[in-house]
Amino acid sequence: MALGGTAKKLQKVAEMAEDVYKKLNELREQVVEVRETVNETKSRVDRLEAENAEQRAILEAVAEEQGVDIDAAIAQAHISEAEEDAAGDETADADASAADASSDATDEA
């Protein structure tokens, strides 16, 4: 009987090893897919950065030709963006306060 029990245990260990091996191969395939995706994304980002640099050069040339101060225009854009963000934060805060007040009023009733 001891030999039969050992054989069953060995069979179970062998099956577990096969399962681990299958999962390891699946993980290996997933890693390969992720690497391919990362490489494709890097290529896209590199291409977009090159296109962006070209467009910036064209815009700077046109701005210079038109007498536009690029640094001032960029600064103004950043200021406008910051103001919009601040206004959005204030709106979100006001909405949260109104929701809290409404919740408090409901709780009191």
Side-chain angles (χ1 to χ4, degrees):
M1 205 56 160
L3 215 47
T6 302
K8 286 182 182 179
K9 288 180 182 177
L10 284 174
Q11 181 63 33
K12 188 173 182 177
V13 169
E15 289 172 0
M16 289 171 56
E18 286 178 18
D19 289 342
V20 169
Y21 183 75
K22 286 178 187 177
K23 289 180 182 179
L24 183 62
N25 281 334
E26 289 173 5
L27 285 173
R28 194 173 284 137
E29 289 173 9
Q30 288 177 357
V31 167
V32 168
E33 290 174 8
V34 168
R35 282 184 181 157
E36 289 172 356
T37 301
V38 167
N39 288 334
E40 291 170 4
T41 302
K42 182 186 180 318
S43 296
R44 281 191 209 116
V45 167
D46 290 345
R47 187 182 71 247
L48 290 171
E49 285 177 343
E51 288 177 13
N52 190 25
E54 291 171 0
Q55 291 175 2
R56 182 173 179 94
I58 292 168
L59 283 172
E60 287 177 354
V62 170
E64 184 178 327
E65 185 177 290
Q66 296 295 319
V68 175
D69 183 359
I70 297 170
D71 293 330
I74 292 172
Q76 183 58 45
H78 286 296
I79 291 169
S80 297
E81 184 178 334
E83 288 172 347
E84 289 173 6
D85 287 346
D89 290 346
E90 289 173 7
T91 302
D93 290 344
D95 290 345
S97 295
D100 287 346
S102 173
S103 174
D104 290 345
T106 304
D107 292 342
E108 291 175 4

